[in-house]
Amino acid sequence: MEYNVHTLPNGIRLLHVPSASAISHACILINSGSRDEAAHESGLAHFIEHLVFKRTEKRSTNQILNRLESVGADLNAYTTKEYTCIHASFLNPYLDRTLELFNDIMFHSTFPEGELEKEKGVILDEIASYLDQPEEAIYDDFEDLVFAGHPLGRNILGTTESVSKLSRTDIQAFMARNYHTDKMVIAVLGNYSLNKLIKTGAKYYEGIPANPYKANRKAPEKAKTVDIVSEKPISQAHVVLGCQAYDLHHPYKTGLLLLNNIIGGTGMSSILNLQIREKYGIAYTIETGYSPLSDTGIFTLYFGTDKEKLDRARTLIYKEFKKFRENPMTEVQLQRAKNKYIGQIALGEENRIGLIISMAKSLMDYNQIDSLETVFAKIQAVTTHDMAEIANEMLAENNLSGLTFYPLS
């Protein structure tokens, strides 16, 4: 897909992706997330993402929320371990309105004490709700094992104790320390000329004071392999197996993305779904995931099952992993897997807001955006030897940590 990048004098990059549609999509992506928090700041990046919608120097909460919704647009945000993202979908005439609102909430929020206390209550409810969903909460506890003692292991939401203590001073200090202008991308996919985007982007963002990036992230050390069982007041056993994995720049990243898709990724035809669910009927949900980060990554397998079937499920999973390690894929099998993965990526391009956010992340992470042809070429370049190497590292039983939420007796 055609794109253009323009860098403002303060380092903020404008990403322009032309589209003939009547609907536009935009985001402001900041390379700052929960991993950038100090221990006493746990949950702060996510807290800020909530609070920017509450009050600015010139708008109330209602005015912020209605600024785009009043013209039928959609405004939302999310926080990850490494990013904060505000995004919107809107009709083409409202580009100016959207970029002005992004500027207002990200750089002119006032964080009044009353709103801080109200939003703490909202987030504490969110934490409680999350803890009531063991299939979600187990991932956070597992990451705390895999990234033991490192900020990447902490829950993005924070804890009841940490969130309760967060202050306006904490917010201002975190943003000054982590919101670097040369680590921000404002991306727009829409029916506009490059000149239009540059003119509008400069109007609202050129005046932001430069705050150059200062490297302050440390990669996690490899944690000791553990296997922990935690009893919970639940009716079903929930299990996550996994390990630290390749980072965004590792030559095996594409191969592991492909392996993940084959073993337990999207769709009903993954190896584990066919074997564990369809053949034996042991688990309703079984899936794998791989999240590459800037200096590490994580590979996981999740399943839920009746406690009486737990041991058999783990035995069968390890059996499938062993078969995959000891019986390398043939060229035909690998090509079939590549075709499936390429097709899924192509279909994913239809999600336009997801596409523009993905392109903004690519620009942030690699300082470039690969065309679909380049992405497909990287997938096609993965060899059966690569897959064997990756499988023997990622699927080895002695390399996998485990966490089980087990029903109370």
Side-chain angles (χ1 to χ4, degrees), residues 261 266-267 269-270 335-345:
N261 202 48
T266 305
S269 61
S270 69
Q335 189 57 54
R336 193 177 298 137
K338 289 176 179 179
N339 292 342
K340 175 185 175 184
Y341 189 40
I342 285 170
Q344 290 170 344
I345 291 172

Side-chain angles (χ1 to χ4, degrees), residues 245-253 290-297 366:
Y246 310 127
D247 63 45
L248 283 165
H249 309 282
H250 196 284
Y252 278 169
K253 184 199 78 169
Y290 165 44
S291 299
L293 300 167
S294 57
D295 51 13
T296 185
Y366 303 107

Side-chain angles (χ1 to χ4, degrees), residues 385-409:
H385 177 267
D386 295 337
M387 295 299 285
E389 290 279 316
I390 296 165
N392 275 294
E393 184 174 356
M394 291 295 139
L395 305 183
E397 188 172 340
N398 61 3
N399 189 43
L400 297 171
S401 287
L403 175 62
T404 301
F405 283 180
Y406 195 81
L408 284 168
S409 302

Side-chain angles (χ1 to χ4, degrees), residues 61-213:
T61 301
N62 286 347
Q63 289 171 328
I64 291 169
L65 297 178
N66 282 307
R67 183 62 179 160
L68 288 182
E69 288 194 3
S70 65
V71 292
D74 178 64
L75 175 67
N76 216 326
Y78 66 86
T79 307
T80 70
K81 304 278 184 177
E82 298 192 321
Y83 293 108
T84 299
C85 180
I86 311 292
H87 57 88
S89 299
F90 50 94
L91 294 174
N92 288 348
Y94 301 114
L95 174 66
D96 192 281
R97 179 181 293 226
T98 301
L99 294 192
E100 187 276 332
L101 184 63
F102 283 0
N103 167 283
D104 194 31
I105 63 179
M106 291 309 303
F107 301 104
H108 300 283
S109 286
T110 55
F111 309 111
E113 290 296 335
E115 294 294 345
L116 261 69
E117 293 309 309
K118 280 196 296 185
E119 207 57 31
K120 283 181 184 179
V122 171
I123 292 175
L124 294 180
D125 284 343
E126 187 178 355
I127 291 171
S129 172
Y130 203 64
L131 292 175
D132 282 340
Q133 302 175 64
E135 68 276 14
E136 299 290 340
I138 193 170
Y139 279 103
D140 286 310
D141 288 0
F142 182 76
E143 288 177 0
D144 202 19
L145 297 177
V146 172
F147 299 119
H150 191 277
L152 282 171
R154 293 200 290 264
N155 191 326
I156 292 171
L157 299 180
T159 65
T160 300
E161 182 181 9
S162 67
V163 170
S164 299
K165 293 179 179 178
L166 295 175
S167 69
R168 190 167 183 267
T169 300
D170 292 329
I171 292 168
Q172 293 169 330
F174 180 86
M175 294 180 77
R177 193 173 75 240
N178 293 293
Y179 279 34
H180 304 288
T181 46
D182 55 348
K183 290 293 183 177
M184 297 180 186
V185 173
I186 293 146
V188 176
L189 185 154
N191 194 11
Y192 314 106
S193 67
L194 174 60
N195 185 59
K196 165 74 172 174
L197 178 60
I198 292 174
K199 184 177 179 181
T200 309
K203 177 180 176 182
Y204 294 116
Y205 297 96
E206 203 165 60
I208 304 300
N211 181 21
Y213 174 67

